[in-house]
Amino acid sequence: MATVFVLSASIYSLLPRIKISPSPPPVLLRTIPQCRAFVKAIKTDSSNATIGLVPTMGCLHKGHLSLVHQSKLTNNITIASIFVNPSQFSPDEDLASYPATFERDVDQLTAAGCDAVFCPSAADVYQKSSICTVDPVGFNLNLKEGESRPHFFKGVATVVAKLFNIVHPDRAYFGQKDAAQTILISRMTADLNFDVEIVISPTVREPSGLAMSSRNEYLSLEDRQTAALIYEALSFGRDYCRKKLDVDVVLQSCDIIGAVEKVLSTNRLLEVKYISVDSGATMKSVDSVTADSKFVISAAVIFAGVRLIDNVVCDFSVASKSQ
């Protein structure tokens, strides 16, 4: 039987809250000690209480909120983190201009029923004396997203490990849009023996098909319609694979990439950084696939000065069809 956990008033009085709103707002956790005190109080009130963590960099959209809703279904307490992680940006990327919509984010989390928001400063998370990081050695090898952003996954692994050590969640929630990131976090969790269940949810899309992303904030409504061609191209690639693998035993990745590229090339404003056919288990590029393969077709595209990524999962096995 599910445990019913009721927060005591003492937990909510520990920390400052944001402005009054019709729904009870989440507790605002601005420092690591505040977050640890909040978690300790929860566990003291009920050792059986479970905590779900939704890590974000802010500028929230329906994809993030779907993770919050999923966490609330399976945990007593849901904590969303809002932290723009500097270690996953290279010097030429958009750290300084990354969309910041904190008040709007908290309003959305309030409406979603999120219990707490962990929003530390970079100085709190990365102290000047720090010398240790989490480096996923070899992860970038034969991984298109890793080759495109060689700094990125070390920064992601380090910050997620920090979040796990600070929050001590029972479950953590991530979206399939960042497919390679989900593989990395699952692997890191296993390799470093974190007692955290990783939950991956399907990509949430705008009506046009464009994958929801915080960076969509940079795009006009017209640009978003144009950028939807990315998903259209990937979906075409998946349909191409489904038809071909009904006939052919093996399908070469170069042919799949060519099918996707053909659709993307219909708009010259889209600058393709890569199209890749990847193992569903590792996100490493593969040369060919079969009907029994679980694989991912992924792409990174620059449009209107914005780097957009997306992917579709392909699983045409008999077991998958029977589910």
Side-chain angles (χ1 to χ4, degrees), residues 94-323:
D94 59 342
L95 174 60
S97 62
Y98 193 84
T101 57
F102 185 76
E103 291 296 327
R104 187 182 77 186
D105 293 344
V106 174
D107 286 344
Q108 291 185 89
L109 291 171
T110 299
C114 188
D115 298 292
V117 180
F118 179 41
C119 47
S121 67
D124 200 17
V125 176
Y126 294 103
Q127 298 181 15
K128 289 184 179 180
S129 58
S130 297
I131 60 172
C132 294
T133 58
V134 179
D135 189 357
V137 177
F139 187 74
N140 286 343
L141 185 63
N142 203 31
L143 179 77
K144 289 297 184 182
E145 184 67 7
E147 292 170 358
S148 182
R149 303 180 74 193
H151 56 284
F152 178 72
F153 289 110
K154 180 179 178 180
V156 168
T158 298
V159 78
V160 173
K162 284 175 173 283
L163 289 172
F164 286 179
N165 279 326
I166 295 164
V167 178
H168 292 284
D170 296 276
R171 300 178 184 89
Y173 296 81
F174 301 88
Q176 173 64 31
K177 180 182 77 70
D178 302 297
Q181 176 177 285
T182 65
I183 296 291
L184 170 67
I185 291 168
S186 297
R187 180 65 185 270
M188 181 197 74
T189 300
D191 289 354
L192 299 185
N193 304 113
F194 283 111
D195 189 17
V196 181
E197 179 185 346
I198 305 302
V199 182
I200 311 302
S201 294
T203 301
V204 177
R205 300 186 178 277
E206 297 188 3
S208 65
L210 176 65
M212 288 194 171
S213 168
S214 298
R215 286 189 170 92
N216 291 358
E217 194 81 6
Y218 294 132
L219 301 174
S220 68
L221 292 177
E222 184 179 353
D223 286 341
R224 293 187 188 197
Q225 290 294 325
T226 301
L229 187 64
I230 301 169
Y231 180 58
E232 183 182 331
L234 292 171
S235 298
F236 179 82
R238 179 171 54 194
D239 291 342
Y240 172 85
C241 293
R242 183 183 288 109
K243 292 173 183 175
K244 285 288 186 179
L245 289 172
D246 277 344
V247 179
D248 301 330
V249 176
V250 178
L251 184 57
Q252 299 301 313
S253 295
C254 59
D255 293 331
I256 303 169
I257 291 169
V260 175
E261 197 168 28
K262 184 177 180 180
V263 177
L264 289 174
S265 66
T266 60
N267 191 316
R268 296 180 180 275
L269 296 177
L270 299 178
E271 178 190 346
V272 178
K273 302 305 291 184
Y274 69 76
I275 303 167
S276 185
V277 179
D278 313 306
S279 162
T282 66
M283 285 300 290
K284 303 285 188 180
S285 300
V286 295
D287 294 329
S288 61
V289 297
T290 69
D292 293 327
S293 305
K294 182 177 180 180
F295 58 100
V296 178
I297 310 173
S298 60
V301 172
I302 304 290
F303 174 62
V306 182
R307 188 178 188 274
L308 302 168
I309 63 170
D310 200 355
N311 65 82
V312 294
V313 177
C314 302
D315 187 355
F316 311 128
S317 63
V318 173
S320 174
K321 292 176 180 177
S322 64
Q323 293 176 354

